Amino acid sequence: MKKMLCLLLIASTVSQIFPQISSIIPVSSSIAGTSVANTGLRSEFQNPAMLGYAKNSEIGMQHENRYALSELSTNSFQALLSTSAINADLSFSYFGYSLYHEMMAGLGFGRNFSDKFALGVRFNYYMAYFSASNSYRGALLPQIGLSYRFSSLFSLGFSTFNPFQTNIKTDFTQKRIPSIFSLGTEYYFSPDLVWLAQIDREISSNYRLATGFEYQMLQQVSLKLGAYDAGYLVPCGGCGLKWNRFLLDINCELHPLLGLNSYAGLRYIFSR
Amino acid sequence: MKRIVILVCCLLFLLLNAAYAQDASTTIDQTIADIFEQWSAESEEVPDYQTFYEELEFLAENPINLNHTSREELSKMLFLSDVQVENILAYLYQYGPMENIYELQLIDGLDMTDIRRMLPFVMVKKEKAVSEKIYRYDVLNYGKNELYMMFNRDAETRQGYQASFSSIGDSTNQGKKYAGSPLYHSAKYRFHFKDRILAGMTFEKDAGESFFGSAHKGYDSYSGYLQINRLGIFKTIVLGDFRANFGQGLVMKSDFSMGKSSYVLNVVSRNEGLKKFSSTDEYNFFRGGGATIRLPRNWETSVFYSNKMIDADTVGGVFSSIYKTGYHRTENELNKKHTICQQVAGGNISWRLLWLQTGITFVHTNFDQVLVPEKTTYNRFYFSGKAQSTAGWNYRVHWQKLNLFGEAAVTGNFHPALLSGFTLSPLSLVNLVAVYRYYSPEYDTFYALALSETSRTNNESGLYLGAEINPAKKWKISAYADSYRFPWPKYGIDAPSAGKDYLFQTDFSAHRRLSMFWRFRHSNKPANISQENSVMPVVKAVKKNSLRYQLMYSQGNFSFRTAAEGNMVQKGENADYTYGLTAYQDLTYEFSSLPLKLDFRYQFFDAVAYENRLYAYEKDVLYAFSIPMYYGIGSRYYLNLKYELNRQFTLWFKIAQTVYADDREEISSGNEKILGNKITDVKFLLRFNF
């Protein structure tokens, strides 16, 4: 019981400190969460327009751990189907522990229009378990995304999660689900070095400013470095490894107060 | 849930149907909306978009033949500056008629954005159109008829509709509740035969006004007009509802004002003369008749007479102010309806040469009751009485690369107003404008609408300087600086005061499909600031800095717009800054296989303090133009669609919702109050051409 209370306390502290990094959206594989304009990497529940840039079908899973507490982990899965007309994905995530957990399943569609721009939409069904009422409550949360490439070097991305500010009400409480507006850019200094920048605004929270660089050092190895500011400045680092059709991304970020947040994602890319 | 399903269907349909390959044609209505947006971008009051749209739409249907045009005709393209108009005329004078439309690129001071905007409204033809006789057969067979039906209502119920309006004089409702339904409805009929005969009628019922009941028998507002152009010696004949504009607007301007905007050179008044009134505005027009006659030796004269009932709160043959909103929803509002008879007579005589234009304007207004404003400090010099006369002399001189313009006016009690300025184009890449204005505190006339800081043309002096520079291909820099002084207290400013206003904008047009701009504005305005321990409000400077970035990109049938704007405000020297921010993403798609066009926007805003309120233009149904104000924290989204059912029927539909996230439990106040944190607006417009 003591452990449970401690976990609840930590979880509530985390949610206070990071109101804009909602646990229901898994972190992206892009450095510092700069995924909204990142045309090279796809992540679960991120900008659905990026689905359009996928040339091959792929499957992936990821694990995110917050502050070395297994109860504050998110596990997610994504299967992406690439077709000539439209790309689609199916995503699922699970966060929490037995007394409190949240799940989200999403069906997304994205299309790339001659590499000039891409549009995407995802329909997420979010469900949370409320121990007070011993019941699950859910809501449909759409996600809309857009990406436009002004040239082969520069692109801009936009996405919104839960634009209608849908919340969940129970007999005892109301759970506020984040409504997020994201805008970001991607700039390739060279084919090996990309600079990403992003601003997120959760409608009831502070702004989150994030930036980072991803450097393809070798054909098999990439390095990432970045930071974001959402009240605290959080430095982020990571690397990517490529082996045949497997891609492994490992990221971590160091919160000055709460400690280390780590992420690992594994993807398999099918041949055409 | 329902709205999510609708959105899902729309987006899926859009994604699956997107036939990418074809460039989106820039439609005329989009061009007009873009021009208007830039023109009204920095103003908090939305000018009359209906009139603006109708004039440019009419121009698109009857394009100007550049080889046989005049300054007056070119000035109808409101987005062109005075210098640009003169440059076009100078080019035609110097090199003769144009061979084709591409020659526009050779004219000084016209960049590609200007030329693209001009294209729908101009043509190049060798032969001159002759003014034919008007035959009844042609009018009946070749005239164009249009019928518009518009409906608009909020999804939420406002406080004013909570209890029913019983009858006028019922003391239990205390005149607070609305008489009618929350549905807004207007019907318009338009007829035109080329640009020679224009006729139309407009009926309107505002939300809250009853249609049939104790208060109304039918629509609340009726309007009609007939305009005939080029009939014998008559240049224009107008009957019914009309507007009149002469000179620089110191005496008579009932149209849109050429105020401060990002078109920094467009501060010179144009669109002179008498013209039909076809808007749904219920105050700003004349009702009667008028004519403009062409006289020998380049003389021209206009005369008009108007007699209409206006709204005011009258007590014992005296009224304190004119009620201009046109709303007749509550008992109080209905009691003010059509209580004053206003008669206006006026005229203008002008002499026009190629290099010179000069004229005299006179107007006399008479009420059947006495106007006596409630006296306070700021309105001490406001007009009071039953009759008022105003006269003015205006001029424009073109010499080399210099244009001089101005107007001097005086009211019946000999209080003056003066506006004078010049535009200069020393190099083809540089255009300059300077305007000095002085409006005496006692100069208070009903139809003046000239360049000024506030909506009232009196009690102000100031100097406006503007420049437009094309430093490199694809780049344009626009800037203005305006310094002004109010010698007597104004509304909300309890002491003589001064202020300044700067704008700096950089435009970059990479190519036809990609353009962007950065706009910085600094204003330092005087305002009353209530302070603790002070009995009287203290007048202090309110400093506001705002920065806007906007990017427009089109590809295939899609077009996108991304914009972000932030501002910071300081009320008084030692006060803390407050901040406001908004950003939005627009997506427009025009189907290839269907006559359907969709606009979608998602926007968030964060402006906790009222001083940080933000404005952002949004697309709307035809003839409507929205620049909603954003104040608080929340988001807004809309879906706007246009569907051409066939050649005769076109419909527009818009649904927009604002959701506040700042824990507010009600929106607005009084009868307009809505319980909750959401406000939803639905509009529907049907056009029938026959």
Side-chain angles (χ1 to χ4, degrees):
Chain A
M1 188 62 189
K2 196 182 282 180
K3 190 181 171 187
M4 290 299 174
L5 285 171
C6 287
L7 282 171
L8 280 171
L9 188 66
I10 291 167
S12 63
T13 310
V14 169
S15 65
Q16 290 294 313
I17 293 173
F18 292 116
Q20 64 279 57
I21 306 172
S22 172
S23 55
I24 73 167
I25 308 170
V27 72
S28 76
S29 53
S30 302
I31 187 68
T34 53
S35 63
V36 74
N38 191 344
T39 54
L41 281 173
R42 276 158 294 285
S43 307
E44 293 85 336
F45 300 105
Q46 304 300 319
N47 185 354
M50 295 307 163
L51 291 174
Y53 293 121
K55 291 187 169 56
N56 301 62
S57 298
E58 55 189 63
I59 54 168
M61 56 185 174
Q62 56 181 352
H63 174 80
E64 180 193 358
N65 178 258
R66 294 178 178 84
Y67 322 113
L69 292 167
S70 61
E71 288 79 3
L72 295 183
S73 296
T74 303
N75 294 299
S76 54
F77 165 84
Q78 183 186 34
L80 191 156
L81 177 68
S82 176
T83 68
S84 56
I86 197 165
N87 293 350
D89 84 335
L90 193 63
S91 307
F92 177 79
S93 78
Y94 178 93
F95 165 80
Y97 43 94
S98 59
L99 279 184
Y100 181 80
H101 48 269
E102 303 174 12
M103 288 175 284
M104 189 159 65
L107 179 64
F109 301 92
R111 178 168 168 170
N112 171 13
F113 296 85
S114 293
D115 258 1
K116 301 286 186 189
F117 67 95
L119 283 170
V121 60
R122 182 179 283 116
F123 312 106
N124 301 309
Y125 190 76
Y126 166 79
M127 209 159 56
Y129 174 70
F130 293 88
S131 56
S133 55
N134 191 24
S135 62
Y136 285 94
R137 292 291 168 95
L140 188 65
L141 310 175
Q143 215 175 342
I144 301 163
L146 165 66
S147 158
Y148 31 107
R149 279 181 163 165
F150 302 113
S151 69
S152 57
L153 303 179
F154 183 68
S155 66
L156 189 143
F158 156 81
S159 84
T160 173
F161 179 88
N162 186 20
F164 305 125
Q165 298 184 37
T166 305
N167 295 322
I168 292 179
K169 283 181 186 165
T170 71
D171 296 337
F172 304 99
T173 183
Q174 172 172 322
K175 176 158 178 67
R176 219 185 54 74
I177 301 175
S179 173
I180 303 171
F181 178 102
S182 301
L183 202 60
T185 57
E186 175 195 63
Y187 181 72
Y188 276 90
F189 287 101
S190 75
D192 298 331
L193 181 64
V194 61
W195 175 43
L196 299 153
Q198 182 169 329
I199 181 165
D200 300 308
R201 168 70 190 201
E202 198 287 310
I203 202 75
S204 298
S205 310
N206 289 331
Y207 296 92
R208 193 185 84 100
L209 299 165
T211 188
F213 293 88
E214 295 185 359
Y215 175 51
Q216 192 72 39
M217 198 167 65
L218 302 169
Q219 197 180 354
Q220 294 83 12
V221 181
S222 64
L223 294 179
K224 310 176 199 178
L225 196 64
Y228 66 83
D229 188 318
Y232 291 90
L233 182 69
V234 180
C236 310
C239 66
L241 302 169
K242 188 177 177 187
W243 182 65
N244 288 334
R245 296 191 169 276
F246 286 96
L247 291 175
L248 176 66
D249 278 289
I250 298 169
N251 293 343
C252 30
E253 54 188 58
L254 186 63
H255 190 274
L257 194 66
L258 295 169
L260 194 71
N261 195 355
S262 56
Y263 160 92
L266 182 67
R267 316 186 75 75
Y268 179 78
I269 299 170
F270 293 95
S271 57
R272 301 201 99 187
Chain B
M1 180 64 91
K2 198 174 176 183
R3 62 192 174 187
I4 293 172
V5 172
I6 291 168
L7 181 79
V8 167
C9 296
C10 290
L11 287 168
L12 269 180
F13 191 51
L14 189 154
L15 282 170
L16 293 168
N17 278 281
Y20 167 73
Q22 176 193 333
D23 270 0
S25 58
T26 308
T27 56
I28 289 165
D29 56 340
Q30 184 57 52
T31 305
I32 297 172
D34 287 346
I35 294 164
F36 191 75
E37 184 198 358
Q38 192 173 342
W39 192 58
S40 59
E42 291 299 319
S43 67
E44 297 190 354
E45 291 173 18
V46 183
D48 182 359
Y49 180 63
Q50 287 179 41
T51 307
F52 185 92
Y53 185 92
E54 278 186 8
E55 291 202 355
L56 286 179
E57 187 196 33
F58 186 77
L59 204 58
E61 287 176 10
N62 301 277
I64 297 166
N65 183 357
L66 289 171
N67 286 335
H68 301 283
T69 188
S70 62
R71 180 182 296 113
E72 193 183 355
E73 213 173 35
L74 290 172
S75 296
K76 289 178 181 171
M77 289 185 281
L78 294 163
F79 49 95
L80 291 183
S81 69
D82 212 33
V83 177
Q84 287 169 324
V85 169
E86 292 299 342
N87 287 350
I88 294 169
L89 292 171
Y91 179 88
L92 291 166
Y93 181 75
Q94 198 173 352
Y95 300 104
M98 291 184 183
E99 290 295 323
N100 58 50
I101 204 81
Y102 301 108
E103 277 187 65
L104 284 172
Q105 295 176 74
L106 303 175
I107 298 175
D108 286 348
L110 289 181
D111 63 18
M112 284 314 292
T113 307
D114 298 321
I115 293 170
R116 275 200 290 274
R117 286 182 171 173
M118 279 177 73
L119 289 178
F121 310 113
V122 295
M123 63 176 181
V124 170
K125 269 190 177 176
K126 285 272 169 67
E127 64 273 17
K128 186 178 182 179
V130 284
S131 199
E132 299 160 341
K133 271 191 169 181
I134 300 173
Y135 295 103
R136 199 177 66 167
Y137 175 84
D138 291 343
V139 173
L140 294 176
N141 287 284
Y142 301 113
K144 290 184 179 171
N145 298 274
E146 289 174 344
L147 184 66
Y148 298 87
M149 302 286 279
M150 180 163 168
F151 302 89
N152 179 16
R153 69 160 290 168
D154 296 331
E156 294 78 17
T157 306
R158 294 183 184 268
Q159 197 74 29
Y161 305 103
Q162 295 288 351
S164 62
F165 181 94
S166 51
S167 66
I168 298 174
D170 180 353
S171 59
T172 55
N173 62 36
Q174 298 175 342
K176 299 252 182 198
K177 303 296 179 192
Y178 292 153
S181 72
L183 181 74
Y184 167 92
H185 169 53
S186 66
K188 286 183 180 185
Y189 166 71
R190 302 273 176 271
F191 169 82
H192 72 92
F193 171 67
K194 298 179 180 173
D195 63 341
R196 305 291 297 281
I197 300 177
L198 313 161
M201 287 182 288
T202 304
F203 313 125
E204 189 194 38
K205 168 208 165 310
D206 287 310
E209 291 172 346
S210 66
F211 195 61
F212 277 102
S214 57
H216 291 91
K217 299 285 180 283
Y219 290 95
D220 174 68
S221 164
Y222 296 89
S223 175
Y225 65 84
L226 171 68
Q227 179 176 337
I228 303 171
N229 295 324
R230 303 196 304 278
L231 184 72
I233 61 163
F234 292 100
K235 182 183 172 187
T236 307
I237 299 170
V238 285
L239 290 171
D241 294 346
F242 65 96
R243 280 178 169 169
N245 303 287
F246 299 109
Q248 291 297 321
L250 285 186
V251 179
M252 174 61 61
K253 186 157 183 68
S254 46
D255 230 331
F256 5 86
S257 76
M258 301 303 286
K260 292 184 274 186
S261 75
S262 54
Y263 285 119
V264 297
L265 302 178
N266 291 18
V267 287
V268 185
S269 192
R270 52 254 307 278
N271 259 356
E272 294 199 351
L274 302 172
K275 60 182 176 185
K276 66 183 174 66
F277 167 79
S278 54
S279 170
T280 49
D281 189 325
E282 292 182 38
Y283 172 74
N284 193 19
F285 64 92
F286 297 117
R287 181 162 284 174
T292 301
I293 303 166
R294 286 200 165 131
L295 301 171
R297 298 184 182 181
N298 300 313
W299 285 89
E300 191 176 287
T301 186
S302 301
V303 287
F304 66 89
Y305 171 75
S306 165
N307 186 327
K308 70 168 183 175
M309 300 300 290
I310 58 172
D311 299 351
D313 201 356
T314 56
V315 180
V318 173
F319 64 104
S320 60
S321 63
I322 298 169
Y323 180 68
K324 299 177 182 175
T325 67
Y327 288 130
H328 305 111
R329 304 164 298 185
T330 64
E331 186 184 333
N332 285 342
E333 289 170 353
L334 282 160
N335 286 337
K336 294 174 187 169
K337 186 178 178 180
H338 294 174
T339 49
I340 306 288
C341 177
Q342 180 199 46
Q343 293 185 81
V344 185
N348 170 272
I349 183 159
S350 295
W351 187 46
R352 292 164 192 256
L353 298 174
L354 196 61
W355 61 277
L356 170 73
Q357 180 186 326
T358 184
I360 291 170
T361 308
F362 174 80
V363 63
H364 178 79
T365 306
N366 192 70
F367 299 110
D368 64 347
Q369 298 190 43
V370 187
L371 172 61
V372 181
E374 285 175 17
K375 288 296 176 194
T376 56
T377 309
Y378 76 84
N379 68 2
R380 181 183 166 192
F381 297 114
Y382 281 14
F383 168 76
S384 65
K386 279 183 81 168
Q388 185 195 54
S389 299
T390 312
W393 166 68
N394 64 281
Y395 69 93
R396 286 175 69 153
V397 180
H398 176 64
W399 180 65
Q400 299 284 348
K401 293 182 173 180
L402 181 70
N403 294 298
L404 300 168
F405 58 89
E407 184 167 21
V410 67
T411 52
N413 48 4
F414 300 105
H415 294 295
L418 170 75
L419 182 144
S420 192
F422 67 84
T423 57
L424 175 66
S425 182
L427 294 171
S428 63
L429 305 175
V430 179
N431 293 305
L432 306 170
V433 62
V435 184
Y436 172 75
R437 60 190 187 271
Y438 170 74
Y439 315 135
S440 118
E442 298 89 348
Y443 183 84
D444 183 38
T445 184
F446 292 105
Y447 313 106
L449 190 62
L451 175 68
S452 67
E453 173 58 23
T454 63
S455 57
R456 216 174 171 106
T457 309
N458 85 325
N459 184 28
E460 183 175 328
S461 63
L463 181 64
Y464 173 94
L465 303 171
E468 203 173 89
I469 301 163
N470 294 81
K473 200 180 172 187
K474 300 179 181 177
W475 289 88
K476 183 165 87 176
I477 295 171
S478 314
Y480 74 68
D482 184 40
S483 170
Y484 54 87
R485 195 171 71 88
F486 304 135
W488 186 257
K490 294 277 269 189
Y491 177 74
I493 311 169
D494 286 353
S497 55
K500 57 193 174 184
D501 189 5
Y502 305 130
L503 181 137
F504 183 88
Q505 178 166 318
T506 304
D507 288 81
F508 173 63
S509 298
H511 44 75
R512 196 167 58 84
R513 292 180 286 105
L514 175 65
S515 61
M516 61 188 80
F517 70 76
W518 297 260
R519 182 187 298 150
F520 172 75
R521 189 176 178 193
H522 169 81
S523 65
N524 190 326
K525 290 184 180 181
N528 288 343
I529 294 176
S530 300
Q531 291 183 324
E532 286 181 22
N533 307 323
S534 69
V535 180
M536 294 289 289
V538 179
V539 177
K540 287 194 172 179
V542 176
K543 292 177 189 168
K544 184 172 185 178
N545 296 306
S546 57
L547 181 66
R548 180 184 181 85
Y549 171 73
Q550 187 165 300
L551 183 146
M552 285 80 70
Y553 176 64
S554 64
Q555 187 67 47
N557 294 359
F558 287 90
S559 55
F560 311 97
R561 182 191 301 246
T562 306
E565 179 172 355
N567 64 42
M568 48 197 284
V569 174
Q570 187 187 36
K571 290 173 73 178
E573 278 179 10
N574 299 317
D576 293 334
Y577 277 100
T578 54
Y579 301 88
L581 190 71
T582 186
Y584 63 80
Q585 178 65 53
D586 281 356
L587 168 67
T588 299
Y589 181 69
E590 198 165 354
F591 287 80
S592 300
S593 51
L594 287 171
L596 176 64
K597 187 179 173 189
L598 291 172
D599 301 302
F600 172 76
R601 167 177 293 179
Y602 179 74
Q603 173 175 19
F604 88 88
F605 52 92
D606 175 5
V608 177
Y610 180 72
E611 291 72 26
N612 296 101
R613 63 194 178 277
L614 297 145
Y615 297 85
Y617 139 83
E618 63 182 42
K619 289 181 182 171
D620 215 313
V621 300
L622 186 71
Y623 291 132
F625 190 91
S626 309
I627 307 184
M629 181 183 76
Y630 300 104
Y631 156 54
I633 300 172
S635 58
R636 180 174 172 84
Y637 32 83
Y638 68 76
L639 179 69
N640 190 23
L641 65 87
K642 176 188 174 187
Y643 189 79
E644 289 178 38
L645 296 165
N646 53 41
R647 282 189 171 189
Q648 290 182 311
F649 287 96
T650 308
L651 63 88
W652 286 261
F653 174 79
K654 180 180 178 182
I655 181 163
Q657 186 173 60
T658 304
V659 184
Y660 290 92
D662 48 9
D663 297 327
R664 71 178 68 191
E665 291 174 348
E666 58 188 45
I667 299 168
S668 199
S669 60
N671 285 334
E672 290 290 288
K673 186 164 78 179
I674 290 171
L675 296 177
N677 68 338
K678 288 179 185 170
I679 179 165
T680 313
D681 184 38
V682 183
K683 281 182 189 168
F684 176 82
L685 173 69
L686 178 71
R687 180 174 67 186
F688 175 43
N689 293 316
F690 57 103

